[in-house]
Each structure stands twice: as structure tokens, then as C-alpha cells.
Amino acid sequence: LGKCLLSPIVLAAYAYNRSLSELGPGGRGEDEPGVLCQLFAFLMAFFGLAPTLLLLAMALECWLSLGHPYFYRRHLTRRLGVALGPAAGGLCALFCALPLLGFGVPMQYCPGTWCFIRMAGGGPRDLAFPVLYAGLMGLLVVAIGACNVSSMRHLYGMARRQPRRGAPPAAAAPRMEELDHLILLGLMTVLFTVCSLPLIIRAYMGAFAADINENADLSALRFLSVNSIVDPWVFIIFRTSVFRSFVRRVCRRL
């Protein structure tokens, strides 16, 4: 959804060779970006935070189902799962709308085809929101990493349990199934962490070290967008029978 909403705006800016503020003017002041730029900054912030919050919900569910199955069975219902998506989206929308209300400043970045929250060069009131945004993202990354590492530990313990003596060879199949999930979870955890950290680092460097570097900010946003592109491909490729059989051969030899 984020790609479908944001990409046409960028393509239109390149097609007309105009900045976002020129395509959608209407800011309250001369120095304030246009309405389209403010909307773009809101969508960028929202679609950076909302999927991370949903990933935390998924990581929590995985951890509870593996490590605390009785609690999971008793308290986590389908109704709760259905309500989590809209609740996470609503909370993220309220939080990311704060710059539109004056707490934080939307900013058009070079070359004028993308906008985000100002991360450097402003006053304390302007930089409080990016620091808060980066801090929240950092907490979510740590929580997701902790849940996934705990889930991987449970999967590893399940995979190490040997089948009973005299059991048929098919009894070893669940062990390889657990190893498949373990490797997939490890890959996605590393990918998510690597793609999320640059934006968090750039926000803190801009706020506390006054490091104004729009190219580095653009690279950090690109890293964050790479995660949502590569993650599904990792999942799709890993679920193919050919790739899984290759991984199982490597695991057996190791």
C-alpha cells in the first residue's frame, strides 16, 4: 500500500520535472513545504512505523506460541488478532500526524522528489519529533529482535530433540521443518535490523551532532524501503522445495 501511494507522486515529480512543493503548493508560509510534500512526509513516516509495529505483533505471537503455548491458547483469540491491525494503524496515524500539528516539521529533501520529517538543522521543538520517532523505532527493533531470538532458541531446542530409538526415518522430518523455520526467522531478523538501523542512526546524528547530510538521509530511507521489498522475496524463495532441500543438505553435512 505504501509503494502504491508514494511511487506515483515521485514519478509525477520526475515526469513534470518539478518538486513536490511545486506540484502541490499551499503551505501556510513561504518556507513551509506544500500540501503534497506534507502528505508525502506523513505517508513516509506512517509506512515506516506501522509495518514495524505489525512485525512486533507477529514476533510476539510467534514467541508466545512457541514458548508459552498454554497462555497463547487461552488468551490470544482470533478476534484479538483481527483488532490488532486497525489498532496499530490508528495509533501510528495519530503519532505520525503530530508534525502536521506543529510538533516536528515536514521538509522537502534534495532533489525535491521526496519529503520527510526534518532530521537536522532545526530548533529543539523541530528535532524532538524525529528523536522520538527514532527512539520508538529503536525500541521496536530491539523488542522484535529479542522476541525472534527467543523464538529461534525454542526452535533450536525442538530441533535438537532426537527421535525415539527405533523410530522410523520419517520421525526426523519435523526436526528439519523446525530448522527451516529457524533459518528463515534468522535471515529475516538480520535483514530487518540492518535495514532499520541507518534511519535511527541518522535521526540521532542530525539531532545531537547537527550532521546535515541529505544524501545520507536519502540512503537511510532507501535502506528502510529495501526491507519491505526484499523480505517477501526471502520468504517466497525460501519456501520453494528446491531451496529448502538445498538448505537441508547443507545442514546435514554441517
Side-chain angles (χ1 to χ4, degrees):
L1 183 59
K3 297 290 185 291
C4 292
L5 289 175
L6 290 167
S7 298
I9 301 176
V10 179
L11 295 175
Y14 276 108
Y16 289 101
N17 197 26
R18 300 172 70 185
S19 68
L20 296 185
S21 293
E22 291 173 336
L23 281 178
R28 286 171 291 185
E30 293 184 0
D31 299 331
E32 188 173 325
V35 174
L36 186 61
C37 181
Q38 295 181 32
L39 175 64
F40 194 95
F42 167 78
L43 291 176
M44 285 286 286
F46 175 80
F47 286 110
L49 188 62
T52 311
L53 197 57
L54 291 175
L55 281 175
L56 176 61
M58 295 167 66
L60 279 171
E61 186 204 12
C62 184
W63 170 62
L64 287 172
S65 63
L66 289 171
H68 306 277
Y70 294 110
F71 179 89
Y72 176 83
R73 180 74 174 174
R74 176 180 266 179
H75 294 94
L76 269 72
T77 62
R78 187 179 295 272
R79 183 178 298 177
L80 176 63
V82 171
L84 272 176
L91 287 174
C92 291
L94 290 174
F95 179 76
C96 295
L98 290 176
L100 303 178
L101 302 176
F103 186 70
V105 179
M107 175 181 171
Q108 180 174 275
Y109 283 80
C110 185
T113 55
W114 69 287
C115 296
F116 195 63
I117 310 303
R118 179 188 291 275
M119 292 190 288
R125 183 180 175 84
D126 299 337
L127 298 179
F129 180 82
V131 170
L132 190 60
Y133 185 89
L136 183 57
M137 283 282 291
L139 287 175
L140 291 175
V141 169
V142 171
I144 291 169
C147 289
N148 285 346
V149 168
S150 181
S151 299
M152 291 161 62
R153 184 175 63 84
H154 288 300
L155 283 170
Y156 181 71
M158 293 162 65
R160 288 201 59 177
R161 292 174 192 156
Q162 299 293 331
R164 296 190 312 275
R165 184 175 296 178
R175 179 181 180 182
M176 296 309 301
E177 186 78 15
E178 288 145 7
L179 283 174
D180 288 340
H181 290 300
L182 175 64
I183 295 171
L184 176 62
L185 194 59
L187 283 174
M188 297 181 80
T189 302
V190 171
L191 177 65
F192 168 74
T193 304
V194 169
C195 290
S196 301
L197 284 179
L199 179 64
I200 298 170
I201 294 171
R202 284 301 309 162
Y204 278 106
M205 289 181 65
F208 297 110
D211 184 14
I212 303 175
N213 188 340
E214 294 191 12
N215 288 328
D217 294 339
L218 178 58
S219 298
L221 264 296
R222 282 174 173 164
F223 263 99
L224 190 66
S225 64
V226 159
N227 179 61
S228 61
I229 298 172
V230 176
D231 245 356
W233 282 105
V234 171
F235 186 80
I236 291 168
I237 292 171
F238 195 86
R239 298 299 292 177
T240 58
S241 57
V242 175
F243 189 78
R244 292 176 74 176
S245 62
F246 169 75
V247 171
R248 290 180 180 186
R249 287 180 184 176
V250 172
C251 289
R252 288 194 184 101
R253 294 194 176 184
L254 290 176

